[in-house]
Amino acid sequence: MQIQVLASGSTGNAIFIEIDNTKLLVDAGISARRIKQSLDNIGTKVEDLDGVFITHEHRDHVSGLQTLLKKYRLPAYARPDTWQSMYCRTSLPDECCKTLPDSLDIGKVKVEPFSISHDAADPVGFRLQAGNTKVCVATDLGFVTPTVKDALALSDVLVLESNHDVDMLKNGSYPWHLKKRIMSNRGHLANTDAGWALARLNRKAHTHVFLAHMSQENNRPELAEETVGAILTDQGCKLGQDITLQLTYPQQISGFPAL
């Protein structure tokens, strides 16, 4: 198993997940060229991807999809309303655009989307399982619903949004309507929200967590790590033993080593 967050943030998102020789890409929000180069750097060919899974239609999650599908003819999966709302849908090859069902087996991996609260047409997170291995992706969500909590439970590896520090956002330069959107139940998860979600999660003996989709203006990686870590420690979690936190970045790969 390996998970490589190729890019994470408002400028673009893409996550490579390999389980039992099944190779998947979650979101394609960076250029196809950069996706190819990033995969080359970790020893994987873009042509070998078994599928591309789209969480929602916002450009920072699909901006590279058009070139990726046209050039490599990969199967891509998204909810019907997501396809319909996607700015580039009419430019995508129809045979590559697959409807995302409630459960899909690709190789030995079962892929199950789950609904999240975000201001998009039909946004989802993903639960991927093969045998006893479970990986979940949950970014771009305003709050952790019971559905999300159940989906994330007992994950081995979790990519979870830790988007902003509330005080930095409130005191920052964004216009008020944008601040309200981000802080709303259909916006983005704050550092404190991520920390409490992890603290209250039904977990395995050890969970590896990527803190993802961090705002470049309203957060700092070290602040996200400190805030989430402090909540976990206060709730009795031993960092590095019960939970390992790993930061992600817009312009560099953050990886969980192949096992």
Side-chain angles (χ1 to χ4, degrees):
M1 173 179 66
Q2 67 168 319
I3 294 87
Q4 305 284 344
V5 180
L6 308 183
S8 182
S10 58
T11 57
N13 298 272
I15 304 167
F16 171 72
I17 299 172
E18 180 179 3
I19 308 174
D20 278 356
N21 296 316
T22 298
K23 299 177 180 181
L24 307 174
L25 188 71
V26 175
D27 287 332
I30 55 178
S31 71
R33 175 180 292 183
R34 186 173 161 199
I35 289 172
K36 180 183 184 306
Q37 290 174 341
S38 296
L39 292 177
D40 285 343
N41 289 340
I42 60 173
T44 297
K45 294 181 179 179
V46 66
E47 296 91 341
D48 292 338
L49 289 172
D50 295 296
V52 181
F53 289 84
I54 303 300
T55 59
H56 63 294
E57 72 275 9
H58 291 168
R59 287 186 183 234
D60 58 326
H61 294 260
V62 301
S63 62
L65 192 61
Q66 182 175 339
T67 301
L68 195 67
L69 298 192
K70 283 186 173 182
K71 188 169 183 178
Y72 301 105
R73 299 287 161 167
L74 299 170
Y77 299 86
R79 291 296 203 194
D81 287 349
T82 298
W83 284 127
Q84 186 175 353
S85 302
M86 201 176 294
Y87 79 97
C88 58
R89 174 61 186 90
T90 57
S91 301
L92 301 176
D94 289 338
E95 67 272 19
C96 295
C97 299
K98 313 291 186 182
T99 297
L100 177 65
D102 290 336
S103 181
L104 175 66
D105 291 329
I106 297 186
K108 296 180 180 179
V109 178
K110 181 179 290 295
V111 181
E112 296 175 304
F114 54 89
S115 295
I116 59 175
S117 179
H118 191 54
D119 57 352
D122 190 3
V124 298
F126 287 105
R127 175 173 52 209
L128 302 95
Q129 291 183 270
N132 294 322
T133 299
K134 178 177 177 180
V135 177
C136 279
V137 176
T139 64
D140 294 73
L141 64 164
F143 73 111
V144 176
T145 64
T147 296
V148 172
K149 185 178 179 181
D150 288 345
L152 303 186
L154 302 176
S155 295
D156 294 284
V157 182
L158 172 58
V159 182
L160 180 67
E161 179 169 60
S162 189
N163 177 259
H164 61 277
D165 174 81
V166 174
D167 289 335
M168 286 184 70
L169 176 62
K170 287 181 176 179
N171 297 319
S173 63
Y174 281 9
W176 178 241
H177 71 87
L178 183 54
K179 293 179 181 181
K180 284 180 64 178
R181 171 193 171 258
I182 292 170
M183 290 187 291
S184 76
N185 283 348
R186 301 184 72 226
H188 290 278
L189 214 60
N191 296 336
T192 49
D193 296 327
W196 281 110
L198 290 171
R200 293 165 175 163
L201 204 61
N202 185 14
R203 301 186 306 272
K204 288 187 175 180
H206 181 78
T207 306
H208 190 99
V209 179
F210 289 91
L211 298 179
H213 212 298
M214 281 184 260
S215 170
Q216 290 180 267
E217 181 163 341
N218 302 305
N219 208 353
R220 298 191 309 275
E222 62 274 14
L223 178 58
E225 184 176 37
E226 178 184 336
T227 302
V228 173
I231 291 171
L232 290 172
T233 300
D234 187 61
Q235 295 302 304
C237 295
K238 296 179 180 178
L239 294 180
Q241 181 175 324
D242 299 328
I243 293 180
T244 297
L245 299 178
Q246 182 167 346
L247 301 175
T248 62
Y249 302 91
Q251 301 297 329
Q252 69 185 63
I253 299 174
S254 305
F256 179 80
L259 297 176

